[in-house]
Amino acid sequence: MKKSPILVVLIASLFGCNTTTESNQAVANQDVKSKIVQRDLNSIATDYVKLVLQVGQFDGDIVDAYYGPEELKPDDLEQGAAFPADELSATVEILIREIKELADDAIPTDQQARREMLEKQLIAIKTKVNMLAGKEYSFDQEANLLYDAAPPKFELEYFDALLAQLNGLLPGEGALSQRYVDFTSQFEIPKDKIDIVFKTAIAEARKRTLAKISLPENENFLLEYVTDKAWSGYNYYQGNAQSLIQINIDFPIYITRAIDLAAHEGYPGHHVYNALLEQKLVKENQWIEFSVYQLFSPQSLIAEGSANYGIDVAFPGESRLNYEKEVLFPLAGLDVSKADLYYQVHELIGKLTYAGNEAARQYLNGMITRDEAAEIMQKYQLYSQEKAYQRTRFIDKYRSYVINYNLGKDLVAEYVTSNGGTANNVDTRWQVFEELLSNPKTASMIAK
C-alpha cells in the first residue's frame, strides 16, 4: 500500500527524522545562500554601473564601452552642471563598505573572484572621482589605486646597455637615433598598401584565434583609418560581439605594426576579450558590472596586457617572422633580405618601453618638464621629436595608464606560463589565455 505524502511527513515527525537527506538539505541551503548573495552582489553591481555611467558624464574617457540596459543610464546633464564630488564620493564609499561586509563563507565559490574584482573596480572609480575633484596622487599611488599594480622602477642608466646593443646592430655611422630612423624607414608600409596589409594581418590573426577560441557566430569588426589621435590604434567595443577598430595614420606605419595592431586590437586582443566577457559574464552569468568597461580600472591592465601578450600567443616564435616574410613583406612591396636584422632591432626596442614609464613617472610627479620627458623618449626609445611629443600628449590624457602595456604584458605572460601555458605547450597556452580573458581577474589576483 502506498503511503500518502501527509502520512510520510507525520511518520517522519514522530520518529524525529527528515524526509530530505542531510546532503540534500546542505545543497538546498547553499542554493538559498547563493540566491541571497547573488541578489546582494547584483544590487551592488547595478549601483556600480550607474555610478560609473554618472561619473563618465564628466570625463568622456572613463566609459570605454557600455552595452547594458538603457534604464541604467543617467539623465542628460544640465548645461554647466557642477561635478557632484561629495555625492559621488558618499555613494562609492557606501558600495565599498557593503561589498566588504559580505561574508566570505556565504559567497559561492564561483562568485568569490567576482566580488574581489568588483571591490577593486570600486576603489578605482573612487580614485577617479577624487582626481576629478582635484586630488593629486603620485604616479605609483595612482597606478596602484587605479590598476591594482605596483609598477617597477628603473634607473635610466639601466637602458644604456640596451642602447649599446642597438648601436652594435644598426649599420652606418653617426648618431644612433638617426641610424635607427634610416634603417627602419626601409620597412615602412607605403600609404597605398596600408589597407590591404592590415586587412590581411587581421584575417590571419582571426583565423588563428578562431581555431583555438570559440566566439559568437555574429562577431565582427569595422576597420577605420584616422588622424590627430594620441594613440596608434584603438578598439571601441560596440556590444553584441561588434567592434570598431581605428588605426592612426599620422605617423609612418612599419611592417611590424600590422601584426601588432591586428592581434592587439582584434584577435586575440581587445575584440576577443570584450566578446568573451560579454558572452560569458554578462549574458550567461548575468554579472551586470561587466556591461560597462571602466577604462581607468584594474580591468584595463588585463585588457592591455593580454592584448600585447596575445600577439605572441597567436604568432609564437619563428611563425610570426616566417608569415611576415612570406606574406606581408611581399604584399607591402618590402625587401625581406634584412628582415631578420630588423626583428632583432625590434625585439630590443620592445625592451626599452619601460624607459617611457620612467619618463611618465618623472613628468607626472613634476620632477621634469614636458620637453625633458620628450628628450628621454627620444634618447631611450629612439622616437622622433614629433613622435615623442605625441607620446607626451598620451601621458597628459591617460597618465599612469602607460603601465598597462608593458607591465600588464609581463604579468599576463607570467600567469599563463606558471599555469602550464609554455611556448612548447601550445594548446594549454591557448586554454589558460582564454580562461584569463573569460573570468574576473586583476593584477594582484593573477599574481597570487
Side-chain angles (χ1 to χ4, degrees), residues 264 270 293 299-309 401 404-405:
H264 182 101
H270 292 323
Y293 180 2
Q299 184 176 348
S300 279
L301 182 137
I302 301 298
E304 301 295 358
S306 63
N308 270 352
Y309 181 68
Y401 194 93
N404 294 329
Y405 299 99

Side-chain angles (χ1 to χ4, degrees), residues 244-416:
L244 169 62
I245 297 175
Q246 292 187 336
I247 306 298
N248 185 2
I249 55 174
D250 274 338
F251 296 96
I253 298 179
Y254 302 100
I255 193 66
T256 50
R257 297 298 286 156
I259 289 296
D260 284 351
L261 290 171
H264 182 101
E265 306 297 345
Y267 306 84
H270 292 323
H271 176 67
V272 172
Y273 177 56
N274 285 302
L276 288 175
L277 289 182
E278 181 184 21
Q279 181 65 33
K280 296 181 181 293
L281 301 189
V282 178
K283 293 185 176 180
E284 294 179 13
N285 289 2
Q286 297 291 300
W287 293 355
I288 195 167
E289 65 268 31
F290 290 96
S291 67
V292 63
Y293 180 2
Q294 180 194 167
L295 186 67
F296 304 104
S297 74
Q299 184 176 348
S300 279
L301 182 137
I302 301 298
E304 301 295 358
S306 63
N308 270 352
Y309 181 68
I311 300 168
D312 298 331
V313 175
F315 295 87
E318 291 294 316
S319 73
R320 171 176 177 166
L321 179 55
N322 291 337
Y323 175 76
E324 292 188 333
K325 287 167 69 173
E326 293 170 8
V327 178
L328 298 187
F329 271 72
L331 200 59
L334 301 178
D335 181 8
V336 302
S337 64
K338 297 179 182 177
D340 292 316
L341 176 58
Y342 177 55
Y343 277 90
Q344 291 180 53
V345 171
H346 180 65
E347 184 178 356
L348 283 173
I349 289 293
K351 294 178 180 179
L352 290 167
T353 61
Y354 277 102
N357 290 21
E358 295 306 320
R361 174 186 275 116
Q362 294 182 32
Y363 174 52
L364 293 175
N365 286 348
M367 299 167 61
I368 60 175
T369 65
R370 178 190 302 276
D371 290 343
E372 289 170 325
E375 287 173 4
I376 289 173
M377 290 184 280
Q378 286 176 260
K379 177 179 179 179
Y380 288 105
Q381 294 184 274
L382 302 183
Y383 285 166
S384 67
Q385 185 180 64
E386 188 179 10
K387 177 69 175 177
Y389 276 99
Q390 184 214 32
R391 193 63 182 171
T392 64
R393 286 171 53 206
F394 183 95
I395 296 169
D396 284 335
K397 187 176 181 67
Y398 298 105
R399 300 181 57 82
S400 62
Y401 194 93
V402 296
I403 72 164
N404 294 329
Y405 299 99
N406 42 31
L407 178 60
K409 178 182 177 180
D410 289 346
L411 292 175
V412 167
E414 183 178 345
Y415 175 81
V416 174

Side-chain angles (χ1 to χ4, degrees), residues 70-141:
E70 285 292 316
E71 58 267 25
L72 297 187
K73 290 183 176 181
D75 294 333
D76 292 337
L77 285 176
E78 295 182 5
Q79 188 173 4
F83 182 62
D86 292 342
E87 174 191 332
L88 294 172
S89 294
T91 299
V92 74
E93 288 289 357
I94 290 171
L95 293 177
I96 291 174
R97 186 184 72 243
E98 287 178 340
I99 203 167
K100 284 180 179 292
E101 289 175 351
L102 292 175
D104 289 341
D105 60 0
I107 299 178
T109 302
D110 68 343
Q111 293 191 54
Q112 292 282 359
R114 176 195 183 191
R115 179 261 194 95
E116 184 175 355
M117 181 167 180
L118 181 53
E119 183 179 339
K120 294 178 186 299
Q121 294 287 108
L122 281 164
I123 291 170
I125 195 63
K126 172 187 174 181
T127 304
K128 200 62 184 176
V129 167
N130 290 342
M131 292 172 69
L132 290 173
K135 184 170 183 177
E136 295 183 356
Y137 296 94
S138 71
F139 179 89
D140 292 273
Q141 289 173 328

Side-chain angles (χ1 to χ4, degrees), residues 309 409-425 428-429 432-433:
Y309 181 68
K409 178 182 177 180
D410 289 346
L411 292 175
V412 167
E414 183 178 345
Y415 175 81
V416 174
T417 301
S418 65
N419 282 278
T422 54
N424 60 353
N425 199 343
T428 301
R429 194 186 211 186
V432 176
F433 186 71

